[in-house]
PDB file of all heavy atoms in Angstrom:
ATOM      1  N   SER A 182     -26.191 -14.239   2.871  1.00  0.00           N
ATOM      2  CA  SER A 182     -26.470 -15.605   3.304  1.00  0.00           C
ATOM      3  C   SER A 182     -26.991 -15.589   4.739  1.00  0.00           C
ATOM      4  O   SER A 182     -26.901 -14.573   5.434  1.00  0.00           O
ATOM      5  CB  SER A 182     -25.199 -16.451   3.222  1.00  0.00           C
ATOM      6  OG  SER A 182     -24.246 -15.991   4.182  1.00  0.00           O
ATOM      7  N   GLU A 183     -27.518 -16.730   5.186  1.00  0.00           N
ATOM      8  CA  GLU A 183     -27.948 -16.819   6.582  1.00  0.00           C
ATOM      9  C   GLU A 183     -26.754 -16.607   7.509  1.00  0.00           C
ATOM     10  O   GLU A 183     -26.891 -15.998   8.575  1.00  0.00           O
ATOM     11  CB  GLU A 183     -28.628 -18.158   6.848  1.00  0.00           C
ATOM     12  CG  GLU A 183     -29.990 -18.295   6.188  1.00  0.00           C
ATOM     13  CD  GLU A 183     -30.942 -17.177   6.578  1.00  0.00           C
ATOM     14  OE1 GLU A 183     -31.078 -16.899   7.794  1.00  0.00           O
ATOM     15  OE2 GLU A 183     -31.537 -16.553   5.662  1.00  0.00           O
ATOM     16  N   LYS A 184     -25.589 -17.105   7.095  1.00  0.00           N
ATOM     17  CA  LYS A 184     -24.378 -16.870   7.884  1.00  0.00           C
ATOM     18  C   LYS A 184     -24.051 -15.381   7.932  1.00  0.00           C
ATOM     19  O   LYS A 184     -23.571 -14.874   8.948  1.00  0.00           O
ATOM     20  CB  LYS A 184     -23.206 -17.651   7.303  1.00  0.00           C
ATOM     21  CG  LYS A 184     -23.232 -19.145   7.586  1.00  0.00           C
ATOM     22  CD  LYS A 184     -21.951 -19.809   7.094  1.00  0.00           C
ATOM     23  CE  LYS A 184     -21.904 -21.273   7.481  1.00  0.00           C
ATOM     24  NZ  LYS A 184     -20.651 -21.917   7.021  1.00  0.00           N
ATOM     25  N   GLY A 185     -24.300 -14.686   6.828  1.00  0.00           N
ATOM     26  CA  GLY A 185     -24.040 -13.250   6.790  1.00  0.00           C
ATOM     27  C   GLY A 185     -24.937 -12.487   7.745  1.00  0.00           C
ATOM     28  O   GLY A 185     -24.490 -11.564   8.440  1.00  0.00           O
ATOM     29  N   LYS A 186     -26.203 -12.876   7.796  1.00  0.00           N
ATOM     30  CA  LYS A 186     -27.130 -12.218   8.717  1.00  0.00           C
ATOM     31  C   LYS A 186     -26.722 -12.495  10.167  1.00  0.00           C
ATOM     32  O   LYS A 186     -26.770 -11.601  11.020  1.00  0.00           O
ATOM     33  CB  LYS A 186     -28.550 -12.705   8.454  1.00  0.00           C
ATOM     34  CG  LYS A 186     -29.072 -12.301   7.077  1.00  0.00           C
ATOM     35  CD  LYS A 186     -30.426 -12.938   6.783  1.00  0.00           C
ATOM     36  CE  LYS A 186     -30.899 -12.608   5.371  1.00  0.00           C
ATOM     37  NZ  LYS A 186     -32.180 -13.279   5.041  1.00  0.00           N
ATOM     38  N   TRP A 187     -26.314 -13.738  10.427  1.00  0.00           N
ATOM     39  CA  TRP A 187     -25.821 -14.077  11.768  1.00  0.00           C
ATOM     40  C   TRP A 187     -24.595 -13.236  12.130  1.00  0.00           C
ATOM     41  O   TRP A 187     -24.504 -12.699  13.240  1.00  0.00           O
ATOM     42  CB  TRP A 187     -25.457 -15.569  11.829  1.00  0.00           C
ATOM     43  CG  TRP A 187     -24.612 -15.897  13.017  1.00  0.00           C
ATOM     44  CD1 TRP A 187     -25.042 -16.176  14.278  1.00  0.00           C
ATOM     45  CD2 TRP A 187     -23.179 -15.933  13.059  1.00  0.00           C
ATOM     46  NE1 TRP A 187     -23.960 -16.386  15.108  1.00  0.00           N
ATOM     47  CE2 TRP A 187     -22.812 -16.246  14.385  1.00  0.00           C
ATOM     48  CE3 TRP A 187     -22.167 -15.748  12.104  1.00  0.00           C
ATOM     49  CZ2 TRP A 187     -21.480 -16.368  14.782  1.00  0.00           C
ATOM     50  CZ3 TRP A 187     -20.847 -15.868  12.488  1.00  0.00           C
ATOM     51  CH2 TRP A 187     -20.522 -16.171  13.814  1.00  0.00           C
ATOM     52  N   LEU A 188     -23.666 -13.103  11.165  1.00  0.00           N
ATOM     53  CA  LEU A 188     -22.433 -12.358  11.425  1.00  0.00           C
ATOM     54  C   LEU A 188     -22.737 -10.919  11.821  1.00  0.00           C
ATOM     55  O   LEU A 188     -22.159 -10.392  12.781  1.00  0.00           O
ATOM     56  CB  LEU A 188     -21.528 -12.393  10.192  1.00  0.00           C
ATOM     57  CG  LEU A 188     -20.245 -11.564  10.284  1.00  0.00           C
ATOM     58  CD1 LEU A 188     -19.330 -12.093  11.377  1.00  0.00           C
ATOM     59  CD2 LEU A 188     -19.524 -11.540   8.926  1.00  0.00           C
ATOM     60  N   LEU A 189     -23.632 -10.273  11.107  1.00  0.00           N
ATOM     61  CA  LEU A 189     -23.954  -8.876  11.400  1.00  0.00           C
ATOM     62  C   LEU A 189     -24.518  -8.730  12.806  1.00  0.00           C
ATOM     63  O   LEU A 189     -24.191  -7.784  13.527  1.00  0.00           O
ATOM     64  CB  LEU A 189     -24.930  -8.339  10.361  1.00  0.00           C
ATOM     65  CG  LEU A 189     -24.369  -8.171   8.947  1.00  0.00           C
ATOM     66  CD1 LEU A 189     -25.478  -7.813   7.976  1.00  0.00           C
ATOM     67  CD2 LEU A 189     -23.269  -7.125   8.906  1.00  0.00           C
ATOM     68  N   LYS A 190     -25.361  -9.669  13.201  1.00  0.00           N
ATOM     69  CA  LYS A 190     -25.941  -9.601  14.551  1.00  0.00           C
ATOM     70  C   LYS A 190     -24.877  -9.831  15.617  1.00  0.00           C
ATOM     71  O   LYS A 190     -24.881  -9.182  16.673  1.00  0.00           O
ATOM     72  CB  LYS A 190     -27.074 -10.605  14.669  1.00  0.00           C
ATOM     73  CG  LYS A 190     -28.276 -10.235  13.801  1.00  0.00           C
ATOM     74  CD  LYS A 190     -29.344 -11.318  13.798  1.00  0.00           C
ATOM     75  CE  LYS A 190     -30.493 -10.933  12.870  1.00  0.00           C
ATOM     76  NZ  LYS A 190     -31.515 -12.002  12.756  1.00  0.00           N
ATOM     77  N   GLU A 191     -23.935 -10.736  15.358  1.00  0.00           N
ATOM     78  CA  GLU A 191     -22.853 -10.984  16.319  1.00  0.00           C
ATOM     79  C   GLU A 191     -21.906  -9.787  16.394  1.00  0.00           C
ATOM     80  O   GLU A 191     -21.402  -9.446  17.467  1.00  0.00           O
ATOM     81  CB  GLU A 191     -22.089 -12.251  15.932  1.00  0.00           C
ATOM     82  CG  GLU A 191     -22.834 -13.535  16.236  1.00  0.00           C
ATOM     83  CD  GLU A 191     -23.174 -13.660  17.717  1.00  0.00           C
ATOM     84  OE1 GLU A 191     -22.234 -13.591  18.536  1.00  0.00           O
ATOM     85  OE2 GLU A 191     -24.360 -13.799  18.040  1.00  0.00           O
ATOM     86  N   MET A 192     -21.645  -9.155  15.247  1.00  0.00           N
ATOM     87  CA  MET A 192     -20.824  -7.942  15.247  1.00  0.00           C
ATOM     88  C   MET A 192     -21.479  -6.861  16.087  1.00  0.00           C
ATOM     89  O   MET A 192     -20.811  -6.161  16.857  1.00  0.00           O
ATOM     90  CB  MET A 192     -20.605  -7.459  13.811  1.00  0.00           C
ATOM     91  CG  MET A 192     -19.678  -8.334  12.985  1.00  0.00           C
ATOM     92  SD  MET A 192     -19.758  -7.946  11.211  1.00  0.00           S
ATOM     93  CE  MET A 192     -19.296  -6.212  11.202  1.00  0.00           C
ATOM     94  N   ASP A 193     -22.788  -6.719  15.954  1.00  0.00           N
ATOM     95  CA  ASP A 193     -23.531  -5.777  16.797  1.00  0.00           C
ATOM     96  C   ASP A 193     -23.325  -6.104  18.275  1.00  0.00           C
ATOM     97  O   ASP A 193     -23.053  -5.213  19.093  1.00  0.00           O
ATOM     98  CB  ASP A 193     -25.032  -5.857  16.473  1.00  0.00           C
ATOM     99  CG  ASP A 193     -25.509  -4.694  15.613  1.00  0.00           C
ATOM    100  OD1 ASP A 193     -24.877  -3.614  15.660  1.00  0.00           O
ATOM    101  OD2 ASP A 193     -26.510  -4.862  14.908  1.00  0.00           O
TER     102      ASP A 193
END
Side-chain angles (χ1 to χ4, degrees):
S182 67
E183 290 304 311
K184 285 186 175 181
K186 295 173 184 177
W187 164 85
L188 176 64
L189 291 172
K190 292 174 183 176
E191 285 301 304
M192 289 167 59
D193 257 334

